[in-house]
């Protein structure tokens, strides 16, 4: 019954913006570390942003730093990924994930037990 659902993907031109949402059901996201990952065709899944559950600290991969940000809306039990200044290389399926405890680093895929189904983001002119 624990479920994450991503939404908000679509087609945008380079330089545009999108806001992805990750809505939780069956648990309260505020108790979990949240990570955003993406997977481009033929490539491994990449951790790009994560948000700690204990101190609110954030991690940004170099590829998205200064362009993407993560934030919560506790009333909606939802976490958002705001993506600005999008580039064609940002094209990927984007996933959110939740972890009750993080053992090593929140950017690592193996830390997470709960995953959304993914939403496609395509950046193209």
């Amino acid at each position: 019954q624990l479920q994450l659902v991503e939404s908000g993907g679509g087609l945008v031109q380079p330089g545009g913006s999108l806001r992805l949402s990750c809505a939780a059901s069956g648990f309260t996201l505020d108790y979990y570390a949240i990570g955003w990952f993406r997977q481009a065709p033929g490539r491994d899944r990449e951790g790009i942003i994560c948000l700690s559950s204990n101190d609110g600290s954030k991690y940004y991969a170099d590829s998205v730093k200064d362009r993407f940000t993560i934030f919560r809306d506790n009333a909606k039990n939802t976490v958002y990924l705001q993506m600005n200044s999008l580039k064609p290389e940002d094209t990927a399926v984007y996933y959110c994930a939740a972890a009750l405890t993080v053992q090593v680093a929140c950017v690592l895929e193996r830390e997470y037990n709960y995953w959304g189904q993914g939403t496609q983001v395509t950046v193209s002119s």
Side-chain angles (χ1 to χ4, degrees), residues 5 7-8 18-23 29 34-36 49-51 58 60 68-83 96:
V5 178
S7 62
L18 282 175
R19 180 177 291 180
L20 306 184
S21 64
C22 176
L29 272 182
I34 304 297
W36 282 95
I49 285 181
C50 51
L51 174 65
K58 300 174 183 179
Y60 299 84
F68 293 9
T69 191
I70 184 172
F71 59 96
R72 298 176 184 264
D73 185 336
N74 290 332
K76 296 181 179 180
N77 204 26
T78 299
V79 173
Y80 299 93
L81 178 66
Q82 179 67 45
M83 306 186 295
C96 66

Side-chain angles (χ1 to χ4, degrees), residues 5 26-27 33-34 41 49 60-61 75 84 107 112 115 122:
V5 178
F27 63 103
I34 304 297
I49 285 181
Y60 299 84
N84 299 321
V107 72
Y112 296 90
W115 291 83
T122 302

